[in-house]
Amino acid sequence: MVENDRLGAWIAHVVLIIGIVILAFPVYLAFVGSTHDAATISNGQMPLTPGPNLVAAYEKALFTGTSGTTREPVWTMMRNSLIMALAIAVGKIAISLLSAFAVVYFRFPFRQTAFWIIFVTLMLPVEVRIYPTYKIVSDLGMLNTYAGLTIPLIASATATLLFRQFFMTVPDELVEASKIDGAGPMRFFVDTLLPLSVTSIAAMFVIQFIYGWNQYLWPLLITTSDNMQTIVIGLRKMIVTQDALTEWDVAMATAILAMLPPVAIVLLMQRFFVKGLVETEK
Amino acid sequence: MEKRAIFDNKLLPYALLLPQILITLVFFYWPASQAVWQSFLIEDAFGTSSEFVWLDNYRDLLSKPDYYASMLTTAWFSAVVTFLAMAIALLLASMANKQISGRNAYRTLLVWPYAVAPALAGVLWLFMLQPSLGVLSKLLRANGVDWNPLLNSNHALIMVVLAATWKQISYNFLFFLAGLQAIPRSVIEAAAIDGARPMRRFWTIIFPLLSPTTFYLLVVNIVYVFFETFGIIDAMTSGGPARTTTTLVYKVYQDGKLGGDLGGSAAQSVILMAIVIGLTAIQFRFVERRVNY
Amino acid sequence: MKNSMLIAFMTAAAAFAATPANAQTEIQWWHAMTGANNDVVVRLANDFNASQQDYKVVPVFKGSYADTMNAGIAAYRSGNAPHILQVFEVGTATMMAAKGAVKPVQDVMKDAGETFDPKIYLPAITGYYSTTKGEMLSFPFNSSSMVMWVNRDLLKKAGLNADQPPKTWPEVFEAAAKLKTVSPTCGFSTAWTTWANIEQLSAWHNVPLGTRSNGMDGFDTELKINGPLQVRHLAKLAELQKDKTFDYSGRTNASEGRFTSGECGLFLTSSAFYGNVKANAKFDYAAAPMPYYPDVQGAPQNSIIGGASLWVLGGKTPAEYKGVAKFFTFLSDTDRQAKLHQDSGYLPITKAAYEKTKASGFYKDKPALEVPLLELTNKEPTENSKGLRFGNMVQMRDVWSEEIEAALAGKKTAKEALDAAVERGNQMLRQFEKTAAR
């Protein structure tokens, strides 16, 4: 055993606690902000401890929205964000599993070409090509629809690459065994490969869910009606105001609410998430 | 590396690839080619008149010192955020990897900021550091620091670096922790028996073994700073003061904003795409090699 | 039998329910109004919809001014433009240059056969949105001007006469030095730095911002903002910044809280800040006209407006335009304008609404709301004070702000900074001219 010195453990505890406090502090302040009234905050007189305005702020955020800024209560926006995040996560995983399977388990003309076509898109975010993409979505009549909101964001290579990496580590013997059993490729895919990939899929789900939930510029352009708005947009609209007071209390309550679902997903699926990332990253 | 065990089928692989290729072509290549085309045009905001100008937009761009300034800002910003986010994460990960009580609780309390949207991180930090209403800025001023991110470019940079780093620590932490846990304890114990002190042990044995993780994170972090910090900068400084926090991506957005200079903005996008494709290719070669050992 | 009855009944019911909706022409109105002003927008639309059967105005909030304009441009380029788009004043040149993409309000009204007399509007406001021939291009919706907000309690505390707030810049500098003794972090400040310290400053002193009547006469304009007045003003601010007699508050209105919190005793910003002051200031406040340099001949001249106007986008059907025209007529109604002005703090756009408000004694209670109107109508506007129309003004303001920031931070002298602002700004103007002058 490596020396189990008390001093080392002490240092570890102290460092970790400091780290946690630093990471949590901004969120704590946001929470404090959501418990004071807007005037106190915009006058820069917010104390460091929670105030009396908690229930009012959250009630307003959840059920009525700020006075006219967004008009849609957070509730509706959360639903939209949830649909968007789920559709992106599920859609990406589905098409990526299929294409990774094709690239790894088959030999066919233009295999490399196909792989590179997908691969080049790996790190190019939608922001860089936003106007032309918007035009195409509009030409296809997909403005203000969940399809328009999600499908263009599904076109990315991260998931394909991760599944490809994972499939590479699956032992060849499994294919041979499956072939001996007389199973075709799709049978192998469904019965053998998918069950093996559960951890990777779970990890991918977490990553893509968060990616979808956190989108900003794209939903801002693509949704023109209030009831299609997502929560990140809603929050941003609450803060950037013209000649009107930012209702910081409701904005901060919304910020806290906007954080809850993705944080919950990360925490709940933590074990899969970490394991999946590490396995696929190998 | 190639699989040896494969299936034989002429059409199936194409069918499997179809959905992704289709979506990629329609929503990626088509718009990207439009951006390339746009970079050769001069056009007004509403697209009612346009003129083909060959490489004028590129020539304009490369003749302006602004562009090089924002390249420098981006390089500097990436270097600092990447270094800080990775160093802090490594420190936390190596502490969390010790045999101490409450390890899992610590891990849980350190991973969650991964889920926070960059735009949201910007808002949270702005809420603390905004000169007129921020709690931290009041504290700084009370202690004699003339905190003024609106005019002092160092303060503005510190502000965006803090928010960007804060957001990225969790991700790096997860990877480092996983990397550390993958190192067999026997290796470390052998070193301990040889009498190597903890610090020395870390730098001579553990850190080299972590290098694949480190390299992977390096690329991921650089790309993160390039693109995802957009939301942070937009929320906190809008690129100011005097352009000192304008990164390349922010400049693309700012120049193309309201149709101001669509051609120039598109030309910048094209250059950015080239840079990122280059980065991706480097990483890909590296990933391929890693699979081999 | 029962079933078919039911179906017939339901079809009839559906047809009945659908008829009025189908016959109504929908008018999309994209806007950027938040808070109480958003409520005003919604109420206007509802009132209009209730007042007649044929048209339905649907207001859609699209985010900040820049977001809204961006969304409108993107939508136009892909053929989904709204009928009415609210655009901030600095987007005026961009909108104007887009021939075919917008339909001048004057034409909308004429084609629809609505009675339209440009003379009923306040020239200081509509002039900003009209051609030099007086043709009205867009419909002013929310207009404001810049005033100096005064914290009377703080002035008294600093030993100043709160009933006589400083009138000239030298007086402001003097007062600020005293204010700094009671609030050490800020003597005075301004929001919207370029609007205050370049645009309004120049108009208020009858000094040009650019050639060709500040660009109103043509896109071949060149900047003049490095003149002696602007350089002198910026140099003074940079000097005062060192000890915080003046303290910079950023490019937008994000730091307006410095006034309502009682930190800055004198604060120049939009007159539309009124609502916030009323809600948040826990002290006695007032609004005063912008200060001027008494040694500049002709000062004070008149101020220029800010805010936003409503543009009608091209490519719609005559029936839809008719609805838009009816809506604008509805908005111009004297009672409605007067009420809008009194509720929102934005300026009335018709002379009659102003007169009516004045006659009602409204300004006796709320003198702060008349200050911007007095500034705007102080003198007959000259070619330097009618307004400004520079292409790429949004980016231009960023460039000017950058140079102002460089000067205030002591990285450049005021002259160097403004020379650079002119040079860089002129490059942008030439670039805009290339795209627009066809």
Side-chain angles (χ1 to χ4, degrees):
Chain A
M1 194 62 199
V2 182
E3 72 267 354
N4 197 354
D5 60 323
R6 281 171 157 240
L7 183 71
W10 247 96
I11 294 174
H13 281 296
V14 170
V15 169
L16 287 170
I17 287 169
I18 291 175
I20 287 166
V21 168
I22 291 175
L23 286 185
F25 189 64
V27 178
Y28 171 73
L29 273 190
F31 173 74
V32 172
S34 70
T35 64
H36 288 278
D37 64 281
T40 313
I41 301 172
S42 24
N43 287 352
Q45 288 147 348
M46 190 182 91
L48 284 172
T49 46
N53 197 26
L54 175 92
V55 179
Y58 284 86
E59 198 180 30
K60 202 168 173 197
L62 272 175
F63 302 111
T64 42
T66 51
S67 65
T69 316
T70 53
R71 290 209 302 284
E72 289 299 317
V74 166
W75 202 235
T76 325
M77 299 195 279
M78 294 265 257
R79 190 199 60 207
N80 289 335
S81 287
L82 189 69
I83 294 175
M84 181 176 181
L86 282 177
I88 289 177
V90 172
K92 253 191 189 177
I93 289 170
I95 64 166
S96 305
L97 278 170
L98 294 177
S99 51
F101 180 54
V103 170
V104 174
Y105 284 97
F106 294 89
R107 295 287 168 279
F108 51 96
F110 302 113
R111 189 174 72 107
Q112 281 300 326
T113 322
F115 181 67
W116 275 98
I117 285 178
I118 295 170
F119 191 74
V120 164
T121 67
L122 181 62
M123 285 162 182
L124 280 180
V126 74
E127 280 80 4
V128 176
R129 55 199 152 89
I130 195 113
Y131 284 110
T133 314
Y134 174 88
K135 183 157 170 35
I136 283 153
V137 169
S138 135
D139 288 348
L140 295 173
M142 301 200 311
L143 290 181
N144 266 330
T145 63
Y146 288 115
L149 203 52
T150 53
I151 295 177
L153 296 178
I154 290 175
S156 126
T158 24
T160 315
L161 191 73
L162 279 165
F163 288 131
R164 175 182 173 275
Q165 298 298 103
F166 174 71
F167 290 168
M168 296 290 228
T169 65
V170 173
D172 286 354
E173 291 75 26
L174 290 176
V175 181
E176 306 298 352
S178 181
K179 276 185 175 170
I180 290 165
D181 287 350
M186 286 323 281
R187 195 56 196 280
F188 168 75
F189 179 68
V190 174
D191 287 353
T192 315
L193 207 52
L194 281 189
L196 282 174
S197 317
V198 166
T199 330
S200 315
I201 292 175
M204 214 57 232
F205 178 81
V206 178
I207 295 173
Q208 298 305 339
F209 182 89
I210 285 160
Y211 167 82
W213 186 276
N214 290 350
Q215 281 303 310
Y216 170 58
L217 202 53
W218 183 245
L220 183 69
L221 270 184
I222 217 77
T223 61
T224 53
S225 62
D226 287 346
N227 59 4
M228 285 293 293
Q229 193 159 261
T230 64
I231 191 159
V232 178
I233 308 276
L235 176 66
R236 189 38 221 265
K237 286 183 175 175
M238 286 179 196
I239 286 168
V240 185
T241 57
Q242 272 82 43
D243 302 332
L245 171 71
T246 301
E247 292 175 67
W248 282 105
D249 52 340
V250 182
M252 286 298 137
T254 309
I256 298 278
L257 290 169
M259 251 182 271
L260 285 181
V263 168
I265 293 260
V266 164
L267 293 184
L268 285 176
M269 298 187 64
Q270 196 187 149
R271 198 184 314 145
F272 289 115
F273 172 50
V274 175
K275 218 167 137 200
L277 275 182
V278 176
E279 270 176 15
T280 36
E281 197 258 322
K282 258 179 201 149
Chain B
M1 190 177 100
E2 298 279 309
K3 280 257 177 213
R4 256 167 255 118
I6 53 163
F7 291 101
D8 232 4
N9 197 314
K10 287 268 178 302
L11 287 177
L12 186 62
Y14 295 105
L16 291 170
L17 276 168
L18 191 68
Q20 179 148 26
I21 296 282
L22 206 65
I23 290 179
T24 309
L25 287 179
V26 173
F27 293 109
F28 183 85
Y29 284 92
W30 177 243
S33 66
Q34 294 277 306
V36 173
W37 172 243
Q38 182 93 63
S39 75
F40 297 120
L41 299 179
I42 286 187
E43 213 176 33
D44 75 316
F46 287 85
T48 49
S49 68
S50 67
E51 188 191 346
F52 189 80
V53 293
W54 290 107
L55 293 170
D56 278 9
N57 288 324
Y58 291 90
R59 215 170 292 143
D60 275 1
L61 187 65
L62 296 175
S63 70
K64 278 188 194 151
D66 283 358
Y67 191 60
Y68 301 100
S70 69
M71 264 189 187
L72 208 66
T73 305
T74 313
W76 197 90
F77 187 45
S78 324
V80 175
V81 172
T82 304
F83 174 77
L84 281 180
M86 286 176 65
I88 296 171
L90 182 57
L91 174 70
L92 291 173
S94 48
M95 294 299 150
N97 193 37
K98 289 192 175 176
Q99 303 289 351
I100 55 172
S101 49
R103 279 158 59 206
N104 290 335
Y106 281 130
R107 192 181 69 183
T108 306
L109 289 171
L110 286 167
V111 298
W112 62 268
Y114 169 71
V116 178
L120 196 58
V123 168
L124 292 181
W125 280 83
L126 187 68
F127 189 61
M128 295 193 295
L129 290 169
Q130 213 260 11
S132 69
L133 59 82
V135 170
L136 279 192
S137 52
K138 283 190 92 101
L139 204 73
L140 283 168
R141 285 183 178 201
N143 286 299
V145 181
D146 181 17
W147 177 252
N148 193 355
L150 291 176
L151 271 190
N152 187 320
S153 40
N154 291 331
H155 291 177
L157 272 169
I158 289 172
M159 195 163 82
V160 285
V161 163
L162 281 176
T165 307
W166 178 82
K167 162 86 186 81
Q168 194 62 5
I169 288 176
S170 299
Y171 184 85
N172 296 346
F173 169 78
L174 276 177
F175 274 88
F176 275 131
L177 187 60
L180 286 169
Q181 282 168 349
I183 296 173
R185 290 207 74 79
S186 55
V187 174
I188 301 167
E189 278 169 24
I193 290 162
D194 283 352
R197 300 184 58 81
M199 275 309 270
R200 204 182 135 70
R201 218 154 60 208
F202 181 82
W203 289 114
T204 55
I205 297 166
I206 299 176
F207 192 69
L209 283 172
L210 272 180
S211 66
T213 312
T214 312
F215 186 84
Y216 168 79
L217 286 179
L218 203 63
V219 176
V220 170
N221 277 274
I222 290 172
V223 171
Y224 159 79
V225 179
F226 261 59
F227 293 104
E228 288 186 46
T229 52
F230 172 85
I232 294 178
I233 294 172
D234 194 36
M236 298 186 94
T237 63
S238 304
R243 261 180 196 280
T244 38
T245 55
T246 302
T247 60
L248 289 171
V249 171
Y250 197 73
K251 193 169 152 57
V252 170
Y253 166 77
Q254 215 174 22
D255 290 358
K257 183 167 74 174
L258 310 183
D261 180 10
L262 291 172
S265 174
Q268 292 175 46
S269 298
V270 172
I271 294 176
L272 255 182
M273 284 191 221
I275 295 176
V276 175
I277 289 170
L279 264 178
T280 315
I282 292 171
Q283 193 201 9
F284 180 66
R285 297 205 79 117
F286 170 77
V287 169
E288 281 296 84
R289 205 174 312 133
R290 283 205 35 220
V291 174
N292 286 330
Y293 59 69
Chain C
M1 184 59 199
K2 252 189 184 167
N3 256 348
S4 61
M5 282 276 285
L6 193 64
I7 289 169
F9 176 73
M10 277 170 62
T11 322
F16 179 72
T19 317
N22 282 347
Q24 265 189 334
T25 307
E26 196 178 287
I27 312 281
Q28 286 263 331
W29 176 16
W30 290 6
H31 67 88
M33 303 298 2
T34 52
N37 296 327
N38 188 314
D39 296 342
V40 169
V41 162
V42 173
R43 204 172 56 232
L44 281 173
N46 287 344
D47 288 355
F48 177 70
N49 295 342
S51 74
Q52 43 75 48
Q53 296 288 314
D54 301 334
Y55 308 99
K56 186 178 178 222
V57 170
V58 181
V60 181
F61 174 71
K62 292 299 287 181
S64 68
Y65 279 136
D67 289 341
T68 305
M69 187 169 163
N70 243 341
I73 288 172
Y76 180 82
R77 291 180 75 103
S78 52
N80 294 295
H83 304 84
I84 304 174
L85 181 68
Q86 185 189 22
V87 176
F88 50 178
E89 86 280 23
V90 285
T92 304
T94 305
M95 299 301 292
M96 218 188 111
K99 298 228 165 61
V102 298
K103 193 169 159 86
V105 163
Q106 186 119 359
D107 298 352
V108 173
M109 303 303 270
K110 246 183 237 151
D111 294 355
E114 286 290 309
T115 45
F116 180 70
D117 179 8
K119 288 196 194 69
I120 66 164
Y121 299 96
L122 281 166
I125 292 174
T126 48
Y128 199 100
Y129 302 114
S130 301
T131 62
T132 36
K133 282 180 235 142
E135 220 191 342
M136 207 158 118
L137 294 170
S138 64
F139 189 87
F141 179 68
N142 54 318
S143 306
S144 54
S145 192
M146 182 160 263
V147 297
M148 181 168 72
W149 292 94
V150 180
N151 181 335
R152 288 166 48 93
D153 289 354
L154 209 64
L155 253 64
K156 278 181 210 150
K157 210 170 147 194
L160 293 155
N161 183 354
D163 297 325
Q164 297 271 311
K167 280 199 182 63
T168 66
W169 278 113
E171 285 169 30
V172 168
F173 303 146
E174 217 174 285
K178 288 196 185 131
L179 281 169
K180 214 172 69 74
T181 57
V182 286
S183 175
T185 51
C186 177
F188 76 100
S189 187
T190 79
W192 304 111
T193 190
T194 63
W195 195 41
N197 298 311
I198 294 186
E199 296 157 40
Q200 293 285 10
L201 177 85
S202 305
W204 198 228
H205 292 84
N206 195 16
V207 165
L209 287 162
T211 57
R212 307 278 281 147
S213 306
N214 293 345
M216 312 252 311
D217 286 349
F219 293 137
D220 53 340
T221 168
E222 286 192 2
L223 297 179
K224 292 276 203 190
I225 57 167
N226 54 351
L229 171 77
Q230 294 98 336
V231 171
R232 160 191 179 183
H233 184 63
L234 182 57
K236 189 71 189 174
L237 293 185
E239 180 199 320
L240 298 177
Q241 173 73 48
K242 283 185 199 133
D243 67 350
K244 299 204 172 290
T245 305
F246 165 76
D247 194 41
Y248 183 65
S249 291
R251 300 176 183 185
T252 65
N253 60 340
S255 296
E256 279 176 345
R258 301 183 77 183
F259 178 73
T260 45
S261 67
E263 184 192 357
C264 299
L266 295 171
F267 198 85
L268 274 80
T269 187
S270 166
S271 56
F273 182 41
Y274 178 71
N276 284 357
V277 177
K278 201 170 77 174
N280 291 334
K282 296 182 176 90
F283 50 79
D284 190 16
Y285 59 85
M290 290 186 288
Y292 58 94
Y293 288 98
D295 55 331
V296 175
Q297 216 196 342
Q301 172 60 37
N302 64 291
S303 69
I304 49 180
I305 60 162
S309 66
L310 305 180
W311 288 82
V312 184
L313 297 187
K316 303 290 178 189
T317 65
E320 289 167 325
Y321 284 131
K322 197 159 165 89
V324 173
K326 287 237 185 285
F327 182 56
F328 285 167
T329 306
F330 171 86
L331 286 180
S332 307
D333 175 73
T334 303
D335 289 345
R336 192 155 288 113
Q337 273 296 321
K339 189 165 159 37
L340 209 70
H341 166 51
Q342 293 165 19
D343 287 356
S344 66
Y346 284 122
L347 308 178
I349 60 168
T350 61
K351 291 172 185 161
Y354 179 26
E355 294 305 330
K356 190 179 155 140
T357 308
K358 218 193 295 193
S360 74
F362 177 78
Y363 298 124
K364 287 218 180 66
D365 289 343
K366 291 172 177 159
L369 283 179
E370 199 181 13
V371 175
L373 285 157
L374 296 174
E375 285 180 334
L376 281 167
T377 54
N378 187 46
K379 280 182 189 163
E380 195 61 28
T382 70
E383 60 176 18
N384 297 328
S385 67
K386 246 188 323 193
L388 56 124
R389 199 163 295 153
F390 299 122
N392 290 339
M393 189 61 197
V394 181
Q395 282 90 340
M396 183 94 74
R397 270 194 174 165
D398 283 340
V399 165
W400 293 0
S401 305
E402 284 162 18
E403 297 298 341
I404 290 177
E405 284 162 3
L408 293 178
K411 286 184 188 153
K412 288 182 178 174
T413 66
K415 177 81 178 132
E416 284 165 1
L418 290 176
D419 285 349
V422 166
E423 195 196 318
R424 289 172 64 191
N426 280 340
Q427 279 176 11
M428 298 170 84
L429 289 174
R430 295 296 73 78
Q431 205 243 323
F432 182 76
E433 202 183 351
K434 260 193 286 180
T435 68
R438 250 167 298 121

